[in-house]
Amino acid sequence: MPLTSALGYSTFISAKKILSESGLFIFKPDKSIEDGRETASWMVKNLHGSRMKEFWEKAKSLVLK
């Protein structure tokens, strides 16, 4: 699904890194050319429905250390 956000670029990149490393989302750049201009956007695939349990178990183990 297309991802739209009001985040600034550096904030978005920081959040993207955390979410990608956690295994909850996959981000893919999507570029298109319209009227001779290149437009860049991001596509995101939500994985957390299938991996949420593992994410929270990992988070709990890190907190308990």
Side-chain angles (χ1 to χ4, degrees):
M1 76 178 354
L3 174 68
T4 57
S5 172
L7 296 175
Y9 183 75
S10 62
T11 304
F12 171 75
I13 294 301
S14 296
K16 178 180 114 15
K17 181 178 185 233
I18 293 167
L19 293 169
S20 295
E21 289 175 355
S22 71
L24 297 177
F25 296 90
I26 295 174
F27 292 84
K28 177 182 162 191
D30 182 39
K31 295 181 180 179
S32 63
I33 298 177
E34 294 179 25
D35 299 330
R37 295 179 291 171
E38 184 176 79
T39 302
S41 60
W42 288 92
M43 298 295 284
V44 61
K45 184 174 182 181
N46 179 342
L47 303 172
H48 74 266
S50 62
R51 299 183 182 168
M52 193 58 122
K53 181 179 177 184
E54 293 91 359
F55 173 76
W56 287 113
E57 287 173 353
K58 183 179 175 183
K60 285 179 189 176
S61 70
L62 292 173
V63 170
L64 296 175
K65 287 183 181 180

